[in-house]
Amino acid sequence: QVQLVESGGGLVQAGGSLRLSCAVSGRSSSSYDMGWFRQAPGKAREFVAAISWSGGSTYYADSVKGRFTISRDNAKNTVYLQMNSLKPEDTAVYYCARRSGAGYYYRTSYDIWGQGTQVTVSS
């Protein structure tokens, strides 16, 4: 079965950059659309970005549009999230997930999730 492992989280100053990676393993993993979500303490998990299986289509939450870039390298079975101009409100645990249902923006559309990686942005 498909397994996802996030990495690349850490502590950065506001205005800084960070690159997250999601290693994907499993049969035909490159054929799935993938997404990134995040969850801050006391808040619901929210959509961040998604990418089609080919990498030709990307989708972003309004809160990160223009600052974050999602990409994938299917040869390496890896999905990335480049985060620039980070803000304290970006602080959260970031999760990657495989889409299984219709719609890119809903967590119920994803069936396989990683364990998450912590991103902390200081003022």
Side-chain angles (χ1 to χ4, degrees), residues 25-73:
S25 63
R27 182 179 295 178
S28 300
S29 60
S30 63
S31 67
Y32 291 93
D33 297 346
M34 301 291 294
W36 286 95
F37 286 73
R38 66 187 182 186
Q39 187 167 23
K43 297 184 178 180
R45 192 170 300 186
E46 66 177 3
F47 171 79
V48 175
I51 188 168
S52 62
W53 72 269
S54 67
S57 299
T58 57
Y59 310 86
Y60 298 94
D62 289 341
S63 59
V64 306
K65 195 172 299 180
R67 299 188 298 120
F68 291 10
T69 302
I70 188 171
S71 62
R72 68 192 301 165
D73 186 341

Side-chain angles (χ1 to χ4, degrees), residues 81-99:
L81 184 67
Q82 178 66 46
M83 305 184 294
N84 298 326
S85 302
L86 283 163
K87 305 174 181 179
E89 50 263 44
D90 294 319
T91 296
V93 176
Y94 283 70
Y95 301 87
C96 65
R98 186 189 74 172
R99 192 170 74 95

